[in-house]
């Protein structure tokens, strides 16, 4: 896979600008905040990776952007500016016009996202007709073209098949085709290579990179796989316990992480040079909703914790466009992926 260039080009006006996003759920008795002060921006055509352990809030952030949270028992705060419009303040009808047309999502498990009782072509053409005033025949032709664009060899034949008749790789390609058939400006890919073998993973990532470069679609790539982020993304967001803890260019973060959690994730990557040795891991676990530490949320698991860490940490910008949520970031020399 050829990585997208990660140089420091001049900043553009953000396509998506998430500001202080917070999400709280009501458990029947009290409110519990799951996302807190989540802030990041994505420029047009940018490929951004977001990483972190399960339960850190990556998928919840994506669902918040798309307006797919439950209608009741949820409290949303902050702003999500897309093309200058705050998604959080749109009516449900306006959200439906944006969802699928301007912002699309590739879900983690295609067999759960695709309807098993309709053919792939039917689901694709209905997506087209929801957003464009075209006839069924023209919508079907667009569906076939979309399947061809994602590398399916016999797109017309695949359009007539049910999801259960397709291989895992083809189902994932069909999901990507459905997400891209309306030519969105932002694509959210939530673990699009999960349960696929490494060869198909590489093909799917090559496909996403090529489509992003050809169409100018910005991509928010949610994953646990740091190797895929290193090979494909321009920027990287590290998320922990419902907060962004580090944000910056991929190459610089991999070489010189500034947050201990990011360094811990990089140190946990298996390496061939560590054969017959104990695989490093981050001690402890992600805190539950009602066990959030009062200060730095990573403090109970951090080897560098000191008294200044026991108060809430802010995501602070540096001169090199990097951001980190750690008061000790300037004094720590943390190992990178290549150390």
């Amino acid at each position: 896979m050829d990585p997208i260039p990660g140089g420091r080009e001049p900043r553009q006006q953000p396509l998506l600008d998430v500001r202080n996003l917070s999400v709280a759920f009501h458990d029947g008795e009290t409110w519990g905040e799951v996302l807190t002060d989540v802030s990041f921006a994505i420029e047009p055509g940018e490929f951004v990776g977001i990483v972190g352990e399960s339960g850190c809030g990556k998928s919840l952030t994506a669902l918040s952007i798309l307006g797919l949270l439950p209608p009741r028992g949820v409290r949303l705060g902050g702003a999500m500016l897309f093309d200058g419009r705050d998604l959080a303040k749109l009516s449900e009808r306006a959200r439906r016009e944006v969802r699928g047309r301007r912002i699309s999502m590739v879900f983690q498990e295609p067999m759960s996202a695709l309807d098993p009782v309709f053919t792939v072509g039917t689901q694709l053409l209905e997506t087209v007709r929801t957003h464009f005033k075209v006839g069924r025949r023209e919508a079907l032709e667009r569906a076939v073209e979309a399947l061809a664009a994602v590398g399916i060899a016999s797109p017309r034949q695949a359009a007539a098949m049910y999801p259960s008749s397709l291989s895992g790789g083809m189902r994932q390609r069909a999901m990507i085709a459905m997400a891209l058939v309306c030519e969105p400006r932002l694509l959210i890919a939530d673990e699009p290579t999960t349960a696929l073998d490494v060869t198909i993973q590489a093909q799917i990532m090559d496909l996403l990179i090529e489509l992003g470069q050809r169409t100018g679609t910005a991509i928010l790539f949610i994953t646990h796989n740091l190797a895929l982020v290193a090979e494909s993304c321009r920027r990287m967001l590290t998320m922990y316990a419902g907060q962004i803890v580090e944000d910056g260019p991929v190459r610089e973060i991999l070489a010189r992480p500034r947050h201990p959690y990011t360094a811990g994730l990089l140190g946990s990557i298996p390496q061939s040079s560590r054969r017959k040795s104990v695989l490093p891991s981050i001690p402890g676990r992600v805190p539950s909703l009602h066990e959030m530490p009062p200060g730095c949320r990573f403090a109970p698991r951090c080897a560098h914790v000191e008294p200044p860490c026991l108060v809430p940490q802010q995501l602070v910008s540096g001169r090199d466009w990097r951001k980190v949520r750690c008061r000790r970031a300037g004094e720590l020399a943390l190992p990178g992926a290549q150390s």
Side-chain angles (χ1 to χ4, degrees), residues 120-289:
V120 170
T122 297
Q123 296 180 61
L124 274 164
L125 72 87
E126 288 301 325
T127 301
V128 173
R129 298 189 70 186
T130 297
H131 297 284
F132 299 97
K133 295 181 179 180
V134 298
R136 185 178 181 85
R137 179 174 296 181
E138 182 179 345
L140 180 58
E141 289 305 312
R142 291 194 188 187
V144 172
E145 290 174 3
L147 292 172
V150 297
I152 293 180
S154 302
R156 197 168 297 277
Q157 180 180 352
M161 299 172 70
Y162 290 89
S164 58
S165 301
L166 302 177
S167 67
M170 288 184 69
R171 282 196 294 267
Q172 197 61 276
R173 289 173 185 267
M175 276 293 301
I176 295 172
M178 186 176 296
L180 294 175
V181 70
C182 293
E183 300 179 351
R185 299 195 64 198
L186 173 64
L187 174 67
I188 301 174
D190 188 1
E191 295 280 5
T193 59
T194 297
L196 300 177
D197 62 58
V198 291
T199 301
I200 303 300
Q201 279 187 6
Q203 293 175 359
I204 294 298
M205 293 308 300
D206 283 338
L207 172 64
L208 289 175
I209 293 171
E210 189 274 330
L211 288 171
Q213 292 175 332
R214 175 165 54 84
T215 64
T217 300
I219 299 175
L220 179 61
F221 176 50
I222 299 172
T223 184
H224 293 92
N225 194 326
L226 287 165
L228 292 181
V229 171
E231 294 171 350
S232 61
C233 297
R234 172 187 172 186
R235 275 181 48 237
M236 170 178 161
L237 309 173
T238 305
M239 197 163 195
Y240 182 77
Q243 294 181 325
I244 301 292
V245 297
E246 190 159 4
D247 176 355
V250 167
R251 294 174 184 172
E252 296 183 16
I253 289 181
L254 294 181
R256 296 178 299 278
R258 291 184 179 169
H259 197 282
Y261 179 62
T262 306
L265 291 178
L266 297 176
S268 301
I269 300 175
Q271 297 182 11
S272 58
S273 60
R274 295 175 178 169
R275 291 181 180 179
K276 297 184 179 180
S277 63
V278 177
L279 181 65
S281 62
I282 303 173
R285 59 179 177 82
V286 179
S288 67
L289 181 62

Side-chain angles (χ1 to χ4, degrees), residues 245 258-260 309 313-314 316 324-330 332:
V245 297
R258 291 184 179 169
H259 197 282
C309 306
Q313 310 287 296
Q314 302 299 316
V316 179
V324 63
R325 193 184 296 271
C326 177
R327 296 183 66 173
R328 299 198 64 203
L332 298 176

